[in-house]
Coordinates of all heavy atoms in Angstrom, one line a residue:
N1181 N 3.7 -7.3 -13.4 CA 4.6 -6.7 -14.4 C 4.9 -5.2 -13.8 O 4.0 -4.4 -13.8 CB 3.9 -6.6 -15.7 CG 5.0 -6.3 -16.7 OD1 6.2 -6.1 -16.5 ND2 4.5 -6.2 -18.0
S1182 N 6.0 -5.0 -13.4 CA 6.1 -3.9 -12.4 C 6.6 -2.5 -13.1 O 7.0 -2.5 -14.2 CB 7.3 -4.3 -11.4 OG 7.6 -3.2 -10.7
R1183 N 6.3 -1.5 -12.4 CA 6.6 -0.1 -12.8 C 7.9 0.3 -12.1 O 8.5 1.4 -12.2 CB 5.6 0.9 -12.4 CG 4.2 0.7 -13.1 CD 3.2 1.5 -12.6 NE 2.0 1.5 -13.6 CZ 1.9 2.4 -14.5 NH1 2.8 3.4 -14.6 NH2 1.0 2.4 -15.4
L1184 N 8.5 -0.7 -11.2 CA 9.6 -0.4 -10.5 C 10.9 -0.8 -11.1 O 11.0 -1.8 -11.8 CB 9.5 -1.1 -9.2 CG 10.5 -0.8 -8.1 CD1 10.5 0.7 -7.7 CD2 10.3 -1.7 -6.8
F1185 N 11.9 0.1 -11.0 CA 13.3 -0.1 -11.5 C 14.4 0.1 -10.4 O 14.2 1.0 -9.5 CB 13.5 0.9 -12.7 CG 12.6 0.7 -13.8 CD1 11.4 1.2 -13.9 CD2 13.0 -0.1 -14.9 CE1 10.5 1.1 -14.9 CE2 12.2 -0.2 -16.0 CZ 10.9 0.3 -16.0
R1186 N 15.4 -0.6 -10.6 CA 16.6 -0.3 -9.7 C 17.6 0.4 -10.6 O 17.9 0.1 -11.7 CB 17.2 -1.6 -9.3 CG 18.6 -1.4 -8.6 CD 18.4 -1.6 -7.1 NE 19.8 -1.4 -6.5 CZ 20.4 -2.2 -5.7 NH1 19.7 -3.4 -5.3 NH2 21.5 -2.0 -5.1
I1187 N 18.1 1.6 -10.2 CA 18.8 2.5 -11.1 C 20.3 2.1 -11.0 O 20.8 1.9 -10.0 CB 18.5 4.0 -10.6 CG1 17.1 4.3 -10.9 CG2 19.5 5.0 -11.3 CD1 16.6 5.7 -10.5
R1188 N 20.8 2.0 -12.2 CA 22.3 1.6 -12.3 C 23.2 2.9 -12.5 O 24.2 3.0 -12.0 CB 22.5 0.7 -13.5 CG 22.1 -0.8 -13.3 CD 22.5 -1.6 -14.3 NE 21.8 -1.4 -15.6 CZ 21.0 -2.3 -16.2 NH1 20.8 -3.6 -15.6 NH2 20.4 -2.0 -17.2
N1189 N 22.6 3.9 -13.3 CA 23.3 5.1 -13.5 C 22.3 6.0 -14.0 O 21.2 5.8 -14.3 CB 24.4 4.9 -14.6 CG 25.4 5.9 -14.6 OD1 25.4 6.7 -13.8 ND2 26.4 5.8 -15.5
M1190 N 22.8 7.3 -14.1 CA 21.8 8.4 -14.7 C 22.8 9.5 -15.3 O 23.9 9.7 -15.0 CB 20.9 8.9 -13.6 CG 21.6 9.4 -12.3 SD 20.4 9.8 -11.1 CE 20.4 8.4 -10.1
V1191 N 22.2 10.1 -16.3 CA 22.8 11.2 -17.0 C 22.0 12.4 -17.2 O 20.8 12.2 -17.5 CB 23.1 10.7 -18.5 CG1 24.2 11.6 -19.1 CG2 23.5 9.2 -18.6
E1192 N 22.5 13.6 -16.9 CA 21.7 14.8 -17.0 C 21.7 15.3 -18.4 O 22.9 15.5 -19.0 CB 22.3 15.8 -16.0 CG 21.6 17.3 -16.0 CD 20.1 17.1 -15.4 OE1 19.8 16.1 -14.7 OE2 19.4 18.0 -15.7
K1193 N 20.6 15.5 -19.0 CA 20.4 16.1 -20.3 C 21.3 15.5 -21.4 O 22.1 16.2 -22.1 CB 20.6 17.6 -20.3 CG 19.6 18.3 -19.3 CD 19.6 19.8 -19.5 CE 18.5 20.4 -18.8 NZ 18.5 20.4 -17.2
P1194 N 21.1 14.2 -21.7 CA 22.0 13.6 -22.7 C 21.6 13.8 -24.1 O 20.4 14.3 -24.2 CB 21.9 12.1 -22.4 CG 20.5 12.0 -21.8 CD 20.3 13.2 -21.1
K1195 N 22.5 13.8 -25.1 CA 21.9 13.9 -26.5 C 21.0 12.6 -26.7 O 21.3 11.6 -26.1 CB 23.1 13.6 -27.4 CG 24.0 15.0 -27.5 CD 25.0 14.7 -28.8 CE 26.1 15.7 -28.6 NZ 27.4 15.2 -28.9
A1196 N 20.0 12.8 -27.5 CA 19.0 11.7 -27.7 C 19.8 10.4 -28.1 O 19.5 9.3 -27.6 CB 18.0 12.0 -28.8
S1197 N 20.8 10.5 -28.9 CA 21.5 9.3 -29.4 C 22.3 8.7 -28.3 O 22.7 7.5 -28.4 CB 22.4 9.7 -30.6 OG 23.3 10.7 -30.1
E1198 N 22.6 9.4 -27.2 CA 23.4 8.8 -26.2 C 22.6 8.6 -24.9 O 23.1 8.1 -23.9 CB 24.6 9.8 -25.8 CG 25.5 9.9 -26.9 CD 26.5 11.1 -26.8 OE1 26.5 11.8 -25.8 OE2 27.2 11.4 -27.8
A1199 N 21.2 8.7 -24.9 CA 20.5 8.5 -23.7 C 20.5 7.0 -23.4 O 20.3 6.2 -24.3 CB 19.1 9.0 -24.0
P1200 N 20.6 6.7 -22.1 CA 20.7 5.2 -21.8 C 19.4 4.5 -21.8 O 19.3 3.3 -21.8 CB 21.3 5.3 -20.3 CG 21.0 6.6 -19.9 CD 21.0 7.6 -21.0
S1201 N 18.3 5.2 -21.9 CA 16.9 4.6 -21.9 C 15.9 5.8 -22.3 O 16.3 6.9 -22.6 CB 16.5 4.1 -20.5 OG 16.2 5.1 -19.6
N1202 N 14.7 5.5 -22.3 CA 13.7 6.5 -22.5 C 13.1 6.9 -21.3 O 11.9 7.5 -21.2 CB 12.6 6.0 -23.6 CG 11.8 4.9 -23.1 OD1 12.1 4.3 -22.1 ND2 10.7 4.5 -23.8
L1203 N 13.7 6.7 -20.1 CA 13.0 6.9 -18.8 C 13.7 8.1 -18.2 O 14.8 8.2 -17.9 CB 13.2 5.6 -17.8 CG 12.4 4.4 -18.2 CD1 12.9 3.3 -17.3 CD2 11.0 4.6 -18.1
A1204 N 12.8 9.1 -18.2 CA 13.2 10.5 -17.6 C 12.9 10.6 -16.2 O 11.8 10.2 -15.7 CB 12.6 11.6 -18.5
I1205 N 13.8 11.4 -15.5 CA 13.4 11.6 -14.1 C 12.5 12.9 -14.1 O 12.9 13.9 -14.7 CB 14.7 12.0 -13.3 CG1 15.7 10.8 -13.4 CG2 14.4 12.3 -11.8 CD1 17.1 11.1 -12.8
I1206 N 11.4 12.9 -13.4 CA 10.7 14.1 -13.3 C 10.6 14.6 -11.8 O 11.2 14.0 -10.9 CB 9.2 14.0 -13.9 CG1 8.5 12.9 -13.3 CG2 9.4 13.7 -15.4 CD1 7.3 13.5 -12.5
G1207 N 9.9 15.7 -11.6 CA 10.1 16.5 -10.3 C 9.4 16.0 -9.1 O 8.8 16.8 -8.3
R1208 N 9.5 14.7 -8.8 CA 9.1 14.1 -7.5 C 10.1 13.1 -6.9 O 10.5 12.2 -7.8 CB 7.7 13.4 -7.6 CG 6.6 14.2 -8.1 CD 6.1 15.2 -7.0 NE 4.9 15.9 -7.5 CZ 4.9 17.0 -8.3 NH1 6.0 17.4 -8.8 NH2 3.8 17.6 -8.6
Y1209 N 10.6 13.3 -5.8 CA 11.6 12.4 -5.2 C 11.3 12.1 -3.8 O 10.7 12.9 -3.1 CB 12.9 13.2 -5.2 CG 13.4 13.9 -6.4 CD1 12.7 15.1 -6.9 CD2 14.3 13.4 -7.3 CE1 13.2 15.7 -8.0 CE2 14.8 14.0 -8.4 CZ 14.2 15.2 -8.8 OH 14.6 15.9 -9.9
V1210 N 11.7 10.9 -3.3 CA 11.7 10.6 -1.9 C 13.2 10.3 -1.8 O 13.7 9.4 -2.3 CB 10.8 9.4 -1.5 CG1 11.1 9.1 0.0 CG2 9.4 9.7 -1.7
L1211 N 13.8 11.1 -0.8 CA 15.3 11.0 -0.6 C 15.7 10.7 0.9 O 15.0 11.2 1.8 CB 15.9 12.3 -1.0 CG 15.6 12.8 -2.5 CD1 16.1 14.2 -2.7 CD2 16.4 11.8 -3.4
T1212 N 16.7 9.9 1.0 CA 17.2 9.7 2.4 C 18.1 10.8 2.6 O 18.7 11.4 1.6 CB 17.8 8.3 2.5 OG1 18.9 8.2 1.5 CG2 16.8 7.2 2.2
S1213 N 18.4 11.1 3.9 CA 19.2 12.3 4.2 C 20.6 12.2 3.8 O 21.3 13.2 3.7 CB 19.1 12.6 5.6 OG 19.7 11.5 6.4
E1214 N 21.1 11.1 3.4 CA 22.5 10.9 2.9 C 22.7 11.7 1.6 O 23.8 12.0 1.2 CB 22.9 9.4 2.4 CG 23.0 8.5 3.7 CD 21.9 7.6 3.8 OE1 21.0 7.5 2.9 OE2 21.7 6.9 4.8
I1215 N 21.6 12.2 0.9 CA 21.8 13.0 -0.2 C 22.5 14.3 0.1 O 23.2 14.9 -0.8 CB 20.4 13.3 -1.0 CG1 20.5 13.9 -2.3 CG2 19.6 14.2 -0.1 CD1 21.2 13.2 -3.3
F1216 N 22.4 14.8 1.4 CA 23.0 16.1 1.7 C 24.5 16.0 1.6 O 25.1 16.8 1.0 CB 22.6 16.5 3.1 CG 21.1 17.0 3.1 CD1 20.2 16.3 4.0 CD2 20.5 17.8 2.2 CE1 18.9 16.6 4.1 CE2 19.1 18.1 2.3 CZ 18.3 17.5 3.2
D1217 N 25.1 14.9 2.2 CA 26.5 14.7 2.1 C 27.0 14.5 0.6 O 28.0 15.1 0.3 CB 26.9 13.4 2.8 CG 27.1 13.7 4.3 OD1 27.3 14.9 4.6 OD2 27.1 12.7 5.2
A1218 N 26.2 13.8 -0.1 CA 26.4 13.6 -1.5 C 26.5 15.0 -2.2 O 27.5 15.2 -3.0 CB 25.5 12.8 -2.3
L1219 N 25.5 15.8 -2.0 CA 25.5 17.2 -2.7 C 26.6 18.1 -2.2 O 27.1 18.8 -3.0 CB 24.2 17.9 -2.4 CG 22.9 17.2 -3.1 CD1 21.7 17.8 -2.5 CD2 23.0 17.6 -4.5
D1220 N 27.1 17.8 -0.9 CA 28.2 18.6 -0.5 C 29.5 18.1 -1.2 O 30.4 19.0 -1.2 CB 28.4 18.2 1.1 CG 28.2 19.4 2.0 OD1 28.1 20.5 1.3 OD2 28.3 19.4 3.2
H1221 N 29.6 16.9 -1.6 CA 30.8 16.5 -2.2 C 31.0 16.9 -3.7 O 32.2 16.9 -4.2 CB 30.9 14.9 -2.1 CG 31.5 14.4 -0.8 ND1 30.8 14.0 0.3 CD2 32.8 14.2 -0.5 CE1 31.6 13.7 1.3 NE2 32.8 13.8 0.7
I1222 N 30.0 17.1 -4.4 CA 30.1 17.2 -5.9 C 30.4 18.6 -6.3 O 30.2 19.5 -5.5 CB 28.8 16.8 -6.6 CG1 27.6 17.6 -6.1 CG2 28.5 15.3 -6.4 CD1 26.4 17.4 -7.0
E1223 N 31.0 18.8 -7.4 CA 31.4 20.0 -8.0 C 30.3 20.5 -8.9 O 29.4 19.6 -9.4 CB 32.7 19.7 -8.9 CG 33.9 19.2 -8.2 CD 34.4 20.3 -7.3 OE1 34.4 21.5 -7.7 OE2 34.9 20.0 -6.2
P1224 N 30.3 21.7 -9.2 CA 29.2 22.2 -10.2 C 29.4 21.4 -11.5 O 30.4 21.1 -12.0 CB 29.6 23.7 -10.3 CG 30.4 24.0 -9.1 CD 31.0 22.9 -8.7
G1225 N 28.1 21.1 -12.1 CA 28.2 20.4 -13.4 C 27.6 21.2 -14.5 O 28.0 22.4 -14.6
T1226 N 26.7 20.7 -15.4 CA 26.2 21.4 -16.5 C 25.7 22.7 -16.1 O 25.0 22.9 -15.1 CB 24.9 20.6 -17.0 OG1 25.2 19.1 -16.9 CG2 24.5 21.0 -18.4
G1227 N 26.1 23.8 -16.9 CA 25.7 25.1 -16.7 C 26.3 25.8 -15.3 O 25.7 26.8 -14.9
G1228 N 27.3 25.2 -14.8 CA 28.0 25.7 -13.6 C 27.1 25.5 -12.4 O 27.3 26.2 -11.4
E1229 N 26.0 24.8 -12.4 CA 25.1 24.6 -11.3 C 25.4 23.2 -10.6 O 25.9 22.3 -11.2 CB 23.7 24.5 -11.9 CG 23.2 25.8 -12.6 CD 21.7 25.7 -13.0 OE1 21.1 24.7 -13.0 OE2 21.2 26.9 -13.1

Side-chain angles (χ1 to χ4, degrees):
N1181 193 1
S1182 167
R1183 296 172 161 269
L1184 184 65
F1185 295 82
R1186 172 108 181 229
I1187 295 177
R1188 285 189 288 241
N1189 198 3
M1190 52 189 103
V1191 197
E1192 182 65 21
K1193 300 189 172 63
K1195 284 191 197 138
S1197 58
E1198 289 165 14
S1201 73
N1202 66 349
L1203 291 172
I1205 304 170
I1206 60 109
R1208 299 290 184 280
Y1209 311 77
V1210 175
L1211 300 168
T1212 56
S1213 62
E1214 290 106 7
I1215 190 65
F1216 294 126
D1217 274 343
L1219 288 168
D1220 238 357
H1221 269 95
I1222 58 166
E1223 298 291 325
T1226 321
E1229 296 188 343

